[in-house]
Amino acid sequence: MATEQKKTLDKEIVMQAIIDSFKKLNPLTMVKNPVMFIVEVGTIITLILSLAPDAFGASTVSREYNIAVFLILFFTVLFANFAEALAEGRGKAQADTLRKTKSDTIAKLLQKDGYIKEVSSTQLRKGDIVRVDAGDIIPSDGEIIEGLASIDESAITGESAPVIKEAGGDFSSVTGGTRVVSDYIIVKVTTDPGESFLDRMISLVEGASRQKTPNEIALTTLLAVLTLIFLFVIITLVPLATYLNVTLDIATLIALLVCLIPTTIGGLLSAIGIAGMNRVTRFNVLAMSGKAVEAAGDIDTMILDKTGTITFGNRMAAEFIPIEGVSKQEATFAALQSSVKDETPEGRSIVELANSLEANWSEREYRDAEIIEFTAETRMSGLNLTDGTKIRKGAVDAIKKFVTEQNGSLPRDLEDKATCIAKAGGTPLAVAVDDKVFGVIYLKDTVKPGLKERFAELRAMGIKTMMCTGDNPLTAATIAQEAGVDEFIAEAKPEDKIAAIKREQAQGKLVAMTGDGTNDAPALAQADVRLAMNSGTMAAKEAANMIDLDSDPTKLLSVIEIGKQLLITRGALTTFSIANDIAKYFAIIPALFIMALPQLNALNIMNLASPQSAILSALIFNAVIIPLLIPVAMKGAKYRPMSANRLLSRNLFIYGLGGVAVPFIGIKLIDMILSGLL
């Protein structure tokens, strides 16, 4: 993406986040976060007590104590707002850069009479037809209905190399804001103003349309219930204290409530969700909702296409295999002759391989040769030389038929060599000159490097990988073994993909899938996590809940890792937040009742200086821990592929045990500083 990668503590973002932190103090905004809203209410009450200590009855503490509690609570709320504003600020910085890409361009609107009328892109409506020439900016999202052009999509994807788009097929979709580099295209507009891909992207990136995910809503509800429970606990402490002849001041009760409720996770929860969306966006993936990102973290099965996803998709010549009675040099030269005029990637790879084997030839010899193009009917291509020589390469059965028609004999080992190549996961092309077969070309679709290791990581997480391919079972089995996928479906049709997804879902599993063609749309719509390629058709993109701007199908692996990291981060910080309340109990409860019940001194294991020092130390730690955890919320907890049980044990050890130990140390250090000042 063309967005500039901002650092977490970029000066401009931090300054704006500080300003927004104060704006978010509005109670109408704060009420959306029940935990921090309770803290803000407590802040207002302690502010009143700071100005008028006897406002709610006689007070037994000093004005300075009330002011100290007020300031600590105020900064607690401010720090929580800062975490959310910082996460939003990074998204807005990305959105601002995208807005620079979005411009009011001039569109060449085709009239019914065939004439062209220049209008603003904002006047275009769904169904309008526009012409875009070389050098023009595409005015709106649409489908190419005529023409072929090279398109610069760097403004959206950040990729400098232009891509070829043409009418029909799986690469006919174009995005507003991109530029035509060569030729021209006729585009049918598919969106109304304000609904374009770029508009949706800006809205999602800056968080304007971000909705809380089901897990986030559930956790918010849990935190609200815990807050309500502790509120009742504090209320019941008042008569208990009266019975013990202990006077509890209102500021102290508020301090106790704030320390008991899960303020740490309450203050960071929104920031975690926003940062998770931002991480996906920085990977050049547009998630239609936070729910899609979360679902990626819960995936059980991943279905992937073979061509272009697991393999590069370009079959390249790997070897020339001569048949019995033919030398390697003769087979190489025959393959070279069949491809000197072949401009396809396969043809060029054959010539390159022959050149690397030092085959001698001159382009002049083939200047006047008749080119025989490949067709679906003949399944062959080649040359007819001026001396009448016919050179062909193609599918083995097609070459057999060609040689038979030339009254030639078929070699006994041709079928065996072709079968060996198919079993190895390659594609065999037979080569013949007139009535004689010279050998077989081994075309290989190479598995992308590093995928086997990535699939092993997914397996360690308990995620099953399934490859779908139209290849025969022999080729599919070989590629599946080389790539390291768990299962494969050979000779797969669109309905086979849907059936596979439904079969997994019937077992209670969540399924992820990638696709780019119109034929992928039904299966994408059935899957739980649906990643469509930006270069694909509009039907695929409309069926998806995520769009990969780089059109890299393997990006789904990274999206799943980001989704898991989001869930792990939320769980880890929730564990830490609840665990560190334990230390606060040991700090505050003895301090409140130690005068009436000296036996509680046994619980003062931190040996805090005084009741007021203990309360203020716990309160200060409660406030300070929020900004200290912002980097974890923004970047995500460190993630390693492993099983759910191992992951749970690891996080309980690190964040659970750490959540208990860190507050004991922090509160004691703060108490030592305060005892020297008070």
Side-chain angles (χ1 to χ4, degrees):
M1 189 188 300
T3 55
E4 187 180 329
Q5 299 303 315
K6 297 276 187 180
K7 294 181 179 179
T8 305
L9 296 179
D10 182 280
K11 185 177 178 180
E12 293 179 12
I13 295 178
V14 170
M15 292 304 296
Q16 186 59 48
I18 292 173
I19 296 171
D20 290 341
S21 299
F22 286 92
K23 292 180 179 179
K24 288 177 178 290
L25 292 173
N26 184 341
L28 295 177
T29 303
M30 294 296 298
V31 76
K32 297 175 183 178
N33 187 336
V35 177
M36 299 316 297
F37 178 70
I38 290 293
V39 179
E40 185 175 47
V41 171
T43 306
I44 294 170
I45 294 173
T46 53
L47 174 61
I48 296 171
L49 290 172
S50 299
L51 299 174
D54 298 328
F56 300 101
S59 176
T60 59
V61 296
S62 64
R63 184 191 298 267
E64 290 77 10
Y65 176 79
N66 287 332
I67 293 173
V69 173
F70 159 70
L71 290 174
I72 297 169
L73 294 182
F74 177 72
F75 280 104
T76 302
V77 177
L78 212 58
F79 288 152
N81 288 348
F82 177 75
E84 183 177 3
L86 190 62
E88 289 176 347
R90 297 177 73 188
K92 288 175 181 176
Q94 290 176 302
D96 289 341
T97 307
L98 285 171
R99 282 194 180 91
K100 295 175 184 176
T101 302
K102 187 175 183 294
S103 58
D104 185 9
T105 57
I106 298 299
K108 298 173 181 177
L109 180 64
L110 287 177
Q111 306 293 299
K112 291 182 179 179
D113 56 10
Y115 286 98
I116 292 177
K117 179 182 179 182
E118 291 192 348
V119 299
S120 168
S121 60
T122 56
Q123 297 179 31
L124 295 177
R125 295 293 182 272
K126 190 183 295 185
D128 286 345
I129 309 296
V130 296
R131 178 186 173 106
V132 190
D133 294 303
D136 291 348
I137 301 293
I138 296 174
S140 182
D141 295 357
E143 292 274 357
I144 300 174
I145 58 175
E146 181 185 323
L148 176 149
S150 178
I151 298 176
D152 176 9
E153 295 187 329
S154 59
I156 302 295
T157 67
E159 178 57 52
S160 58
V163 294
I164 303 297
K165 297 287 186 81
E166 60 182 325
D170 293 342
F171 298 96
S172 59
S173 173
V174 291
T175 305
T178 57
R179 184 171 59 88
V180 173
V181 178
S182 65
D183 302 294
Y184 81 95
I185 48 175
I186 304 297
V187 177
K188 182 178 181 180
V189 176
T190 55
T191 60
D192 288 325
E195 299 176 358
S196 72
F197 179 82
L198 204 55
D199 288 315
R200 283 186 296 153
M201 188 172 180
I202 291 170
S203 179
L204 286 162
V205 166
E206 69 181 358
S209 62
R210 192 188 89 87
Q211 296 179 338
K212 288 187 176 182
T213 63
N215 285 348
E216 200 172 345
I217 292 171
L219 184 54
T220 301
T221 304
L222 173 63
L223 298 180
V225 170
L226 287 175
T227 301
L228 190 61
I229 290 172
F230 283 120
L231 184 59
F232 282 119
V233 169
I234 297 302
I235 292 172
T236 57
L237 275 181
V238 176
L240 178 62
T242 303
Y243 175 77
L244 295 172
N245 294 319
V246 175
T247 303
L248 294 180
D249 195 83
I250 292 177
T252 299
L253 289 172
I254 292 172
L256 176 60
L257 174 63
V258 170
C259 285
L260 292 181
I261 63 178
T263 50
T264 305
I265 186 61
L268 295 172
L269 187 58
S270 293
I272 294 169
I274 296 168
M277 290 285 288
N278 288 347
R279 279 198 296 276
V280 172
T281 306
R282 289 199 299 277
F283 255 80
N284 266 9
V285 173
L286 174 60
M288 300 305 178
S289 67
K291 184 179 179 181
V293 180
E294 266 193 6
D298 286 329
I299 284 300
D300 300 295
T301 303
M302 185 163 61
I303 296 179
L304 300 162
D305 281 328
K306 176 185 80 74
T307 306
T309 304
I310 292 175
T311 64
F312 282 107
N314 292 330
R315 299 178 304 169
M316 311 298 284
E319 188 180 357
F320 302 128
I321 302 173
I323 54 94
E324 186 179 356
V326 176
S327 68
K328 181 70 174 275
Q329 186 177 4
E330 289 175 321
T332 299
F333 189 68
L336 171 65
Q337 285 184 303
S338 70
S339 306
V340 291
K341 293 288 186 178
D342 188 349
E343 293 300 321
T344 64
E346 292 90 345
R348 288 196 296 270
S349 73
I350 291 169
V351 174
E352 289 173 6
L353 179 59
N355 287 335
S356 69
L357 297 173
E358 299 181 352
N360 295 318
W361 65 288
S362 173
E363 192 172 349
R364 293 195 306 273
E365 298 176 19
Y366 306 95
R367 184 176 298 165
D368 299 322
E370 179 189 358
I371 301 173
I372 306 300
E373 300 285 356
F374 176 88
T375 66
E377 295 178 3
T378 64
R379 294 188 298 150
M380 293 187 302
S381 65
L383 297 175
N384 288 338
L385 302 183
T386 53
D387 62 2
T389 302
K390 296 179 179 179
I391 306 166
R392 298 289 186 273
K393 73 171 186 292
V396 174
D397 56 343
I399 293 298
K400 281 182 178 179
K401 183 179 179 182
F402 170 77
V403 170
T404 302
E405 289 174 351
Q406 304 297 315
N407 298 317
S409 59
L410 298 174
R412 291 174 300 176
D413 59 341
L414 175 61
E415 195 66 43
D416 291 340
K417 293 186 184 298
T419 302
C420 286
I421 292 173
K423 285 183 177 179
T427 302
L429 292 183
V431 180
V433 178
D434 290 330
D435 61 351
K436 182 178 180 181
V437 178
F438 275 72
V440 183
I441 303 170
Y442 178 7
L443 292 182
K444 187 176 182 182
D445 191 0
T446 310
V447 172
K448 293 181 178 179
L451 271 190
K452 191 166 188 175
E453 292 75 16
R454 296 291 294 276
F455 288 147
E457 291 177 1
L458 292 173
R459 196 173 298 109
M461 297 181 228
I463 298 174
K464 180 172 73 174
T465 51
M466 186 183 298
M467 180 186 77
C468 286
T469 175
D471 287 340
N472 62 70
L474 284 175
T475 302
T478 304
I479 294 293
Q481 184 177 9
E482 187 177 345
V485 296
D486 299 309
E487 294 181 14
F488 67 89
I489 302 174
E491 299 175 343
K493 300 181 288 293
E495 52 266 32
D496 294 328
K497 295 179 182 179
I498 297 176
I501 294 170
K502 287 182 176 179
R503 187 167 59 250
E504 293 294 314
Q505 290 173 332
Q507 299 173 27
K509 297 178 179 178
L510 293 181
V511 181
M513 181 188 165
T514 62
D516 58 6
T518 301
N519 63 333
D520 292 325
L524 282 170
Q526 181 65 39
D528 300 288
V529 174
R530 315 182 286 274
L531 180 66
M533 304 299 102
N534 188 41
S535 60
T537 60
M538 193 60 68
K541 287 194 273 191
E542 287 177 351
N545 53 19
M546 291 186 187
I547 297 175
D548 176 21
L549 304 181
D550 296 330
S551 299
D552 175 8
T554 59
K555 192 74 69 69
L556 183 57
L557 303 175
S558 300
V559 170
I560 288 175
E561 289 183 357
I562 292 172
K564 284 197 172 293
Q565 188 183 38
L566 172 62
L567 296 176
I568 289 166
T569 301
R570 188 181 295 146
L573 292 183
T574 301
T575 302
F576 184 90
S577 177
I578 294 174
N580 71 28
D581 286 341
I582 295 174
K584 298 172 196 172
Y585 304 155
F586 281 96
I588 296 181
I589 298 298
L592 291 177
F593 297 100
I594 200 167
M595 298 300 292
L597 298 171
Q599 298 89 337
L600 286 178
N601 192 49
L603 295 178
N604 187 18
I605 58 178
M606 285 182 278
N607 195 27
L608 302 178
S610 67
Q612 286 191 353
S613 173
I615 293 169
L616 292 178
S617 297
L619 208 55
I620 291 172
F621 175 84
N622 191 64
V624 170
I625 198 65
I626 294 176
L628 291 179
L629 289 175
I630 287 177
V632 179
M634 300 290 283
K635 295 179 181 178
K638 192 172 182 180
Y639 169 69
R640 293 176 183 171
M642 59 181 68
S643 66
N645 288 337
R646 285 186 60 200
L647 197 58
L648 177 62
S649 301
R650 178 177 177 271
N651 283 342
L652 284 176
F653 178 76
I654 295 175
Y655 293 96
L657 189 59
V660 173
V662 170
F664 276 98
I665 299 170
I667 291 172
K668 179 59 180 176
L669 289 174
I670 296 170
D671 177 73
M672 290 170 65
I673 295 171
L674 288 180
S675 61
L677 297 175
L678 295 176

